[in-house]
Amino acid sequence: MGKKILWGVLILIAMLFYGIGLVMWENALIAAWIPWTICGGLSLLSGVTLWRLWRHITGSEKFWLNYACQVIFSCGLLLCAFFVINKSFADKTTLHTEKAVVMRKYYKERHKTRRVGRRTYVSGETYKSYYFELEFPNGKLKEISSTTDNYRKTHKGDTISLDVEMGLFHIPIIMRKGKTRDVPPSKRYSPPNPFKRKA
């Protein structure tokens, strides 16, 4: 029973690490493969020397089982630490505004999980998560989430102004206002009205 509780705690911690890492990556202007390659490589190396620590948890002497546990857990930890440190020690003096163009808007359908028994979960109602694909002046593309309200108000080709800071590892960070998923309203070009009277 004690080992089951320990495994449950470790799985929750690992999910928390990966969750924080993914949420913070969403606000970082960096291609996903870069942090995954760095953290994954370090995790693979750590597994070679630290796999023995997992023998007491898994109760097995098998190298590959303990190695896999070490790699999966340490990769989540490193991803989380990478983005947390980058943002926590960002240079506040580098705060500036960057304009990005909405290249695409789309949504993903997800399902809420509902508990129906002690250990049984089923798919519940469907909900939508909204996203923009933005292009920055340097050509970088970035996917960011949006609130339902901003998603409806914003159109392809609109320009969104975002506050950006330079992180410790020189990875730019989008500084969201208010809730994590808020984005500022977009700006569309409106041609002058020739019939409007001048004040």
Side-chain angles (χ1 to χ4, degrees):
M1 188 67 181
K3 279 204 170 183
K4 287 183 179 180
I5 294 173
L6 178 59
W7 272 108
V9 171
L10 288 173
I11 290 170
L12 285 174
I13 292 172
M15 289 173 64
L16 182 64
F17 285 153
Y18 281 103
I20 292 173
L22 289 172
V23 168
M24 298 194 76
W25 168 75
E26 186 180 302
N27 294 325
L29 296 179
I30 184 174
W33 68 268
I34 297 175
W36 275 105
T37 300
I38 295 171
C39 297
L42 291 173
S43 299
L44 290 171
L45 289 174
S46 74
V48 176
T49 55
L50 300 178
W51 68 272
R52 294 178 179 84
L53 299 176
W54 288 86
R55 291 182 299 180
H56 305 292
I57 300 173
T58 61
S60 172
E61 294 289 332
K62 291 182 179 179
F63 169 76
W64 288 111
L65 174 61
N66 296 305
Y67 180 82
C69 290
Q70 169 61 24
V71 170
I72 293 169
F73 192 84
S74 62
C75 187
L77 172 62
L78 289 171
L79 274 173
C80 179
F82 181 85
F83 287 111
V84 168
I85 292 171
N86 182 65
K87 183 173 182 178
S88 299
F89 296 96
D91 187 352
K92 304 298 181 185
T93 63
T94 62
L95 181 63
H96 64 285
T97 300
E98 288 195 18
K99 296 184 183 296
V101 178
V102 178
M103 304 301 292
R104 187 165 65 105
K105 50 181 288 191
Y106 58 97
Y107 63 85
K108 298 177 183 177
E109 288 192 349
R110 305 184 188 278
H111 295 274
K112 293 181 179 178
T113 54
R114 183 165 52 90
R115 187 172 181 175
V116 294
R118 188 176 178 185
R119 297 181 182 179
T120 308
Y121 292 85
V122 296
S123 275
E125 61 180 292
T126 303
Y127 69 97
K128 294 177 181 177
S129 297
Y130 298 94
Y131 298 90
F132 296 134
E133 184 180 76
L134 305 178
E135 182 177 17
F136 287 82
N138 60 4
K140 277 187 178 180
L141 294 175
K142 181 66 182 179
E143 174 192 278
I144 66 170
S145 56
S146 170
T147 59
T148 306
D149 190 46
N150 277 333
Y151 182 85
R152 288 173 179 166
K153 291 178 181 177
T154 305
H155 302 80
K156 181 179 176 181
D158 288 0
T159 299
I160 293 176
S161 296
L162 295 167
D163 292 333
V164 176
E165 279 184 359
M166 189 61 71
L168 180 66
F169 303 132
H170 294 279
I171 298 170
I173 307 160
I174 300 171
M175 309 303 291
R176 299 289 188 100
K177 295 179 180 178
K179 296 180 181 178
T180 306
R181 298 181 182 273
D182 284 350
V183 293
S186 61
K187 294 180 181 179
R188 289 192 290 277
Y189 171 71
S190 299
N193 186 349
F195 302 104
K196 186 178 180 180
R197 292 183 179 180
K198 293 183 179 179

